[in-house]
Amino acid sequence: MPHPRVTQAQDVSPEHYPWGRLDWFVSGALGNSDKLTVGRCRIEPGKANPPHYHPNCDEVLHVLQGHIRHRL
């Protein structure tokens, strides 16, 4: 189990995609969780994050503005 640690927003390296960007705060790659990813996602107007799945972790979605279509 990784050692708990807090990732600050100013310490995040954004991942840029054609549809927007992801800022990860919790993930296996960061070393602060084995089963959960938490991040901030910005999807540009008129764009979409393509369908995908996460077989090895849980994902939390919290929409601050706009609309989301999600499949389970």
Side-chain angles (χ1 to χ4, degrees), residues 14-27:
E15 297 178 10
H16 296 275
Y17 297 92
W19 47 264
R21 69 183 262 178
L22 288 168
D23 303 315
W24 294 115
F25 300 109
V26 176
S27 72

Side-chain angles (χ1 to χ4, degrees):
M1 173 87 170
H3 297 289
R5 66 183 174 88
V6 175
T7 302
Q8 302 293 322
Q10 67 268 16
D11 297 333
V12 172
S13 297
E15 297 178 10
H16 296 275
Y17 297 92
W19 47 264
R21 69 183 262 178
L22 288 168
D23 303 315
W24 294 115
F25 300 109
V26 176
S27 72
L30 291 173
N32 52 8
S33 179
D34 291 332
K35 298 179 182 176
L36 177 69
T37 57
V38 177
R40 178 176 49 211
C41 178
R42 162 99 179 154
I43 299 176
E44 297 297 329
K47 302 287 183 173
N49 185 344
H52 63 281
Y53 68 100
H54 302 274
N56 59 349
C57 66
D58 293 326
E59 180 178 66
V60 176
L61 302 171
H62 181 95
V63 180
L64 298 178
Q65 182 178 354
H67 304 277
I68 188 171
R69 184 182 310 167
H70 188 72
R71 292 187 285 179
L72 189 59

